[in-house]
Amino acid sequence: MVALLAVLGIFKYYNFFVDSFCAAFRIENSFTLNIILPLGISYYTFQGLSFLFDVYYGKIEAEKDYVKVALCVCFFPQITCGPIVKARDMLIQLQEAKKINWEQIALGAQIFLMGVCKKKVIADRIGVQVNAVFDMPQMYSAGSLMLAVIGYSIQIYCDFSGYSDMAIGIALIMGFKLSANFDFPYKSTNLTEFWRRWHISLSSWFKNYIYIPLGGNRKGFAKQIRNILVVWFLTGAWHGASWNFLIWGVYYGVILLIEKFALMKIKEKLPSVINIMFTLVFVIVGWILFYYVDINEGINHLKIMFGISGAELV
């Protein structure tokens, strides 16, 4: 674990923490490393950790064949975009003899082409317009900014789920079954459900390897709050070495706690349509925090969009 996390920390987070420390204390920064982030490092680090955890907890036996472990950790169709594969699911498939299955190949090709259409036809085309608005939010009205955020919500879903579909399709053509990574997340009636449907493999990874080992919801109210906040801080950090991702993670940790412990009983009495709309509002605010590396720009976007500081509503 130390070896895997050290490599991830040096390549992905070292420069971020050094830059932040030097900026906070106004120190001349000559300590950053001129290195390139390896492709897919977060994914194969988590898959390597999955192998270690599954062996440690007795879910699988230690695999002696290095090539099989390397293939499990770095399975190329999904190495840059997921889904994150658990070792106990992948190693079993590596033991099986693979035969040509034309029905499986045809289904895999369909899933792959669906992913290509999501990515190239929908996400990339919407992205051109979304980026134009997000780059200069002060030039647009509140209504335009709201439409842009809705567009970004569609873009990021089609982009990410499209990549996942392509990976799942290629793997199926080769005879490997990867788990689904998205399950219509925008029809969720609460935020907990949303994150069970969005990037399913990452959510289940944190649940199985962080949340439950920390005690989950079994060791009292205070520790449950701690565990949720820890998981969401790490989720934000996983997405990138930037303050906006950390703030985005803490944001979700806090609002999930509020929803779970203060609003759930109220929401249970409301119609599903109202709950879906309520959930989407918080998801949209989250996407704004996620998009803007400069937090001030994200706050400015929110102010204009909600008509604060004299901004026009239309």
Side-chain angles (χ1 to χ4, degrees):
M1 280 181 59
V2 171
L4 283 169
L5 292 174
V7 172
L8 179 66
I10 291 171
F11 278 96
K12 190 169 182 177
Y13 301 107
Y14 173 81
N15 283 350
F16 166 68
F17 285 115
V18 169
D19 289 339
S20 299
F21 180 84
C22 291
F25 292 95
R26 298 181 180 179
I27 300 172
E28 184 179 351
N29 188 357
S30 59
F31 306 101
T32 53
L33 302 176
N34 186 22
I35 53 178
I36 298 173
L37 186 67
L39 196 65
I41 188 171
S42 295
Y43 285 96
Y44 58 73
T45 298
F46 270 38
Q47 288 171 185
L49 290 171
S50 169
F51 173 74
L52 292 178
F53 290 146
D54 284 348
V55 172
Y56 180 80
Y57 289 120
K59 303 291 185 181
I60 58 173
E61 295 183 1
E63 175 59 59
K64 306 296 184 182
D65 188 336
Y66 175 79
V67 173
K68 286 182 180 178
V69 175
L71 182 56
C72 174
V73 172
C74 300
F75 187 55
F76 84 89
Q78 45 71 244
I79 194 61
T80 61
C81 58
I84 299 171
V85 177
K86 294 184 179 68
R88 59 178 179 265
D89 297 330
M90 191 65 179
L91 283 172
I92 293 174
Q93 297 189 64
L94 291 174
Q95 306 291 347
E96 300 170 349
K98 300 299 177 187
K99 297 180 180 180
I100 295 177
N101 184 324
W102 292 109
E103 291 184 2
Q104 194 166 279
I105 290 172
L107 179 59
Q110 290 177 37
I111 296 172
F112 174 80
L113 290 174
M114 184 185 299
V116 172
C117 288
K118 283 183 181 178
K119 164 63 179 168
K120 301 301 293 182
V121 177
I122 302 175
D124 285 1
R125 291 178 180 271
I126 292 177
V128 174
Q129 306 301 322
V130 167
N131 291 336
V133 177
F134 274 54
D135 286 346
M136 293 187 295
Q138 67 278 4
M139 301 295 293
Y140 295 88
S141 67
S144 297
L145 292 182
M146 177 60 76
L147 288 174
V149 175
I150 293 171
Y152 181 62
S153 301
I154 297 170
Q155 177 199 350
I156 195 170
Y157 169 74
C158 290
D159 192 283
F160 198 1
S161 68
Y163 275 129
S164 294
D165 287 345
M166 284 187 268
I168 292 168
I170 293 173
L172 193 58
I173 290 171
M174 298 171 62
F176 294 90
K177 295 181 179 179
L178 304 183
S179 59
N181 214 19
F182 291 85
D183 182 22
F184 301 100
Y186 289 137
K187 71 174 186 178
S188 303
T189 56
N190 58 69
L191 291 167
T192 300
E193 181 186 356
F194 177 82
W195 285 106
R196 288 176 183 155
R197 293 172 176 270
W198 181 282
H199 204 345
I200 298 169
S201 61
L202 180 65
S203 299
S204 65
W205 195 98
F206 276 112
K207 178 182 177 181
N208 292 328
Y209 299 126
I210 303 294
Y211 183 72
I212 292 176
L214 284 175
N217 58 2
R218 305 184 309 275
K219 294 189 175 182
F221 180 72
K223 288 188 177 180
Q224 185 180 1
I225 292 175
R226 179 204 65 183
N227 297 341
I228 290 173
L229 291 175
V230 167
V231 164
W232 277 100
F233 178 81
L234 293 175
T235 301
W238 184 87
H239 280 86
S242 177
W243 285 110
N244 66 305
F245 293 125
L246 297 178
I247 292 171
W248 174 81
V250 172
Y251 162 80
Y252 264 111
V254 171
I255 63 171
L256 279 165
L257 287 171
I258 294 172
E259 182 184 70
K260 184 179 183 67
F261 296 115
L263 299 178
M264 193 58 73
K265 290 184 178 180
I266 298 173
K267 293 187 68 179
E268 288 174 355
K269 300 176 183 179
L270 298 174
S272 295
V273 174
I274 300 298
N275 283 325
I276 290 171
M277 293 176 65
F278 182 85
T279 301
L280 287 175
V281 168
F282 285 98
V283 170
I284 283 173
V285 172
W287 287 142
I288 293 173
L289 298 175
F290 188 88
Y291 182 93
Y292 285 103
V293 176
D294 187 333
I295 300 302
N296 291 324
E297 291 183 5
I299 293 172
N300 185 47
H301 186 126
L302 286 169
K303 284 182 176 180
I304 299 172
M305 191 171 72
F306 290 114
I308 302 173
S309 300
E312 295 181 0
L313 293 176
V314 293

